Amino acid sequence: MRRMEFKMERTGLLKEGDILPVTESRLPDSWYYTLGKSYAMSANYSFRERLKSAEGKVVEVKETPRGYYVTVEFEEE
């Protein structure tokens, strides 16, 4: 299992247990991921850190002083 954290701008869009698709996008030197219908966005990842799964399960939604964050679990080989 692999866990990734996504930044979300608004609360109430997701709940624990939701299974959502993930879209991979490429920058010149890295990749980033968008969760569901643009609910949240990941940090940038290098080639070696690329995600292999197409969907994941929300395991935590939290509010911090820096904003809302979603932790998603993926089944990785």
Side-chain angles (χ1 to χ4, degrees):
M1 290 288 184
R2 175 178 177 177
R3 288 186 174 208
M4 290 175 61
E5 190 170 73
F6 292 78
K7 175 83 165 75
M8 186 168 58
E9 295 299 319
R10 295 182 295 145
T11 188
L13 300 174
L14 306 171
K15 64 183 181 309
E16 291 181 16
D18 285 350
I19 297 177
L20 299 167
V22 177
T23 304
E24 180 180 70
S25 299
R26 184 159 197 245
L27 296 169
D29 295 324
S30 59
W31 283 260
Y32 68 93
Y33 300 91
T34 306
L35 188 59
K37 297 181 179 186
S38 300
Y39 296 128
M41 188 174 290
S42 74
N44 295 339
Y45 291 91
S46 69
F47 176 77
R48 293 183 325 182
E49 300 171 309
R50 285 178 69 186
L51 186 61
K52 297 174 185 146
S53 301
E55 66 180 19
K57 180 179 179 180
V58 175
V59 293
E60 182 182 21
V61 178
K62 63 183 175 183
E63 181 180 359
T64 70
R66 293 178 41 209
Y68 302 102
Y69 288 87
V70 179
T71 304
V72 180
E73 193 171 69
F74 299 94
E75 290 191 30
E76 296 272 313
E77 299 174 3

